[in-house]
Amino acid sequence: MTLRKITLNLLLPLLSPIVLHVGALQGVFKALISGKFETNGQRFASFYEYLTSIYDYGVFFLLYFVCLIFLLLPFQLIKDHERKAGRNYTFYRKFLTLFVLFMFYIVMLGCFVLNLFVIDPWYVNLLYPCLAALFSVVFTSLTYFFIDRYEQDYTIPKKA
């Protein structure tokens, strides 16, 4: 069970750069269907070159490690703590936990590091909660289907 949890928690963040770069998916599908691999006025000979231009290796692995260390590891630790405490941790609560974690990092980065919230007009910032909700739905579902439903019940029976 532990091997399954570790392995899948190391593999799931490989999808995070694709989910976080959701805006590029429309162009990828369009290029795949039309067979014209171009972005920003630059043409590519193959679909592989086109994808590597969109999903740069350095950014891909940076997002992988950031997602693994700052989002999915705390998320899994919180889920394990709740399970060991014997609390009913529903899918909705798992979604909210990951959503709050993601929004916490967005607010901290936006306020203190990147100054995200000075973008004009203000409603452009609504993209961040939508991205956090999409990320939370995708990864809560994946962790449920591949990890959580196979775990044994850790609750300790109470003495009468």
Side-chain angles (χ1 to χ4, degrees):
M1 179 48 62
T2 305
L3 181 64
R4 174 196 226 43
K5 187 186 294 187
I6 291 170
T7 304
L8 288 171
N9 274 321
L10 288 174
L11 290 176
L12 282 177
L14 288 172
L15 297 174
S16 63
I18 296 167
V19 173
L20 292 175
H21 204 330
V22 72
L25 287 179
Q26 180 183 7
V28 169
F29 288 129
K30 187 177 177 183
L32 189 61
I33 291 171
S34 70
K36 297 176 184 174
F37 310 119
E38 58 184 62
T39 180
N40 298 331
Q42 187 177 10
R43 293 193 81 119
F44 298 99
S46 69
F47 187 64
Y48 175 76
E49 291 175 2
Y50 175 74
L51 280 180
T52 55
S53 73
I54 293 176
Y55 300 110
D56 184 26
Y57 290 123
V59 174
F60 188 89
F61 286 110
L62 176 70
L63 285 175
Y64 169 79
F65 286 114
V66 165
C67 176
L68 178 67
I69 301 298
F70 293 111
L71 287 172
L72 292 181
L73 180 65
F75 179 57
Q76 187 64 45
L77 292 174
I78 291 169
K79 287 190 314 182
D80 288 344
H81 174 72
E82 291 293 319
R83 181 178 292 277
K84 286 181 182 177
R87 296 187 194 103
N88 185 14
Y89 208 53
T90 62
F91 184 83
Y92 179 69
R93 286 187 59 204
K94 290 176 189 177
F95 164 77
L96 284 180
T97 302
L98 191 56
F99 181 78
V100 168
L101 271 171
F102 197 96
M103 286 304 297
F104 171 76
Y105 290 122
I106 287 175
V107 169
M108 289 298 113
L109 283 173
C111 290
F112 300 114
V113 178
L114 299 175
N115 215 6
L116 293 174
F117 304 119
V118 295
I119 296 173
D120 199 30
W122 64 270
Y123 54 83
V124 173
N125 291 323
L126 293 177
L127 171 72
Y128 301 118
C130 294
L131 182 63
L134 174 72
F135 184 87
S136 300
V137 164
V138 168
F139 282 93
T140 303
S141 301
L142 289 173
T143 56
Y144 171 75
F145 286 118
F146 293 120
I147 298 171
D148 296 341
R149 72 178 183 171
Y150 296 107
E151 285 187 353
Q152 298 173 354
D153 192 16
Y154 289 119
T155 57
I156 300 170
K158 299 191 182 205
K159 295 180 181 178

